[in-house]
Amino acid sequence: MPRQAVPKLQVPTLAHGDYSLSADAPENFSLVVFYRGLHCPICQKYLLELGRLRAEFDKRGVKIIALSSDERERAQAMSDKLNAPALRIGYGLSLSSAREWGLYISSSRGTTSIGIEEPALFAEPGVFIVRPDGTLYYGAVQTMPFARPHFDELLGALDFALAKNYPARGEYNGEV
C-alpha cells in the first residue's frame, strides 16, 4: 500500500555484500527490481537496460537492486550475460518473501526458448520505488514477463516527483 511500510527485504548479492533494504540509505529512493531469473530472455534485456541507465538513477539519488529467487550460480550466470559489474544483483529471494511483496508465483513449464530450465517455482516480475523511510512510493507487478515499466520513463517520473515533491498515490483504502 502506498505510504505504508514495505515488507522486510534481505538477500545476499553477488559483488556488493549482503543487502538489506532498511539499511540501504538512499538519498531519495531505492529501486527494487524483481526479475524472474536466468531462464527469462526478457529479463536479460530488461536488466541490460537497467544497467545502461544505472548512472542516471545514481544522479537522482536512487539506489538500485535487481534480484530473483535464483541461487547464486544462476544469478552469476545472469550477471555474466549483463556485463554490468556496478549493477547490484541479489539472489536467493525466498518465495514467501516474494509473496509478501505481492509478486505472483509461477510453476515450471520446463525448458524456455533459450534452452534454460525454469526452476520448479519462481516469482514473476515487479518494480518498486521505496522512500528512504521504508514506505512504498510506486509499485508495479506483472503476472508474466511482458509489458513492464520502462526505466527511461521511470527516470522522467522521478524527475517530476522530486521537482514537485509529488506524493505517493493510491493510498486510500477506506470505503468506496
Side-chain angles (χ1 to χ4, degrees), residues 8-135:
K8 180 178 165 183
L9 182 61
Q10 290 183 291
V11 292
T13 70
L14 293 174
H16 300 92
D18 288 338
Y19 174 83
S20 170
L21 179 60
S22 64
D24 200 30
E27 179 184 345
N28 289 310
F29 297 104
S30 292
L31 175 62
V32 181
V33 179
F34 295 98
Y35 70 97
R36 299 171 86 222
L38 176 65
H39 64 276
C40 177
I42 296 171
C43 294
Q44 180 182 344
K45 182 178 177 186
Y46 196 58
L47 295 180
L48 282 168
E49 182 71 359
L50 180 60
R52 185 181 70 77
L53 293 172
R54 188 199 52 78
E56 292 300 315
F57 284 100
D58 286 349
K59 288 178 189 175
R60 291 159 175 85
V62 178
K63 289 187 172 184
I64 298 171
I65 186 163
L67 65 154
S68 74
S69 57
D70 276 350
E71 293 305 320
R72 181 177 182 80
E73 296 76 25
R74 288 173 65 100
Q76 186 62 60
M78 177 63 92
S79 180
D80 293 345
K81 289 180 177 188
L82 299 174
N83 193 26
L87 183 59
R88 192 166 37 177
I89 303 288
Y91 63 91
L93 174 72
S94 73
L95 294 177
S96 61
S97 181
R99 186 159 278 160
E100 287 175 2
W101 278 83
L103 301 179
Y104 294 94
I105 308 297
S106 290
S107 55
S108 177
R109 293 185 43 109
T111 303
T112 64
S113 62
I114 57 172
I116 298 174
E117 186 78 18
E118 291 181 343
L121 295 173
F122 58 91
E124 291 295 340
V127 175
F128 297 88
I129 298 174
V130 180
R131 289 193 173 277
D133 67 0
T135 60

Side-chain angles (χ1 to χ4, degrees), residues 134-168:
T135 60
L136 180 65
Y137 185 75
Y138 166 90
V141 295
Q142 286 73 41
T143 61
M144 57 182 60
F146 315 111
R148 301 180 202 191
H150 296 273
F151 293 120
D152 57 344
E153 292 175 6
L154 284 178
L155 286 168
L158 287 168
D159 288 342
F160 178 86
L162 291 169
K164 305 292 185 187
N165 195 28
Y166 195 77

